[in-house]
């Protein structure tokens, strides 16, 4: 795991600011496999956050832990 320069509380605050906004999610699945989709960050909970994809046929995981975000496995970018 790569050592992160931000703390868990800073990550939670950054994600909380994006709640109920459109985000672009990029997932690193390992072995050079990436999945990207757009959605709405719907829930922010103490241990995880959830993203509801705009594509209703999306067959993937839509809840992520803060450690996945801190390690770079999940990347979020706020869209307009």
């Amino acid at each position: 795991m790569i050592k992160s320069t931000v703390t868990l509380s800073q990550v939670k605050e950054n994600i909380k600011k994006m709640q109920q906004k459109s985000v672009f999610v990029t997932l690193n699945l390992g072995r050079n496999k990436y999945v990207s989709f757009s959605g709405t960050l719907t829930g922010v909970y103490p241990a995880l956050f959830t993203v509801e994809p705009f594509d209703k046929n999306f067959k993937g995981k839509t809840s992520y832990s803060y450690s996945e975000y801190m390690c770079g496995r999940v990347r979020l970018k706020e869209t307009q």
Side-chain angles (χ1 to χ4, degrees):
M1 178 162 71
I2 299 172
K3 188 166 186 168
S4 182
T5 58
V6 294
T7 63
L8 182 60
S9 59
Q10 290 171 333
V11 168
K12 286 183 179 182
E13 284 298 316
N14 290 341
I15 291 176
K16 194 169 198 149
K17 289 177 188 174
M18 290 188 270
Q19 189 171 10
Q20 299 301 326
K21 294 184 181 176
S22 296
V23 292
F24 185 74
V25 181
T26 304
L27 302 172
N28 182 352
L29 301 175
R31 294 185 180 249
N32 294 325
K33 295 179 195 155
Y34 292 89
V35 174
S36 300
F37 65 93
S38 295
T40 304
L41 193 115
T42 55
V44 177
Y45 303 102
L48 56 93
F49 59 94
T50 59
V51 178
E52 183 178 331
F54 293 142
D55 181 14
K56 298 300 177 193
N57 297 323
F58 182 78
K59 300 213 185 315
K61 181 178 160 189
T62 59
S63 61
Y64 309 99
S65 67
Y66 296 109
S67 63
E68 290 176 310
Y69 180 81
M70 289 176 74
C71 293
R73 185 163 181 257
V74 176
R75 295 183 188 257
L76 296 176
K77 183 178 179 184
E78 190 175 337
T79 58
Q80 304 302 338

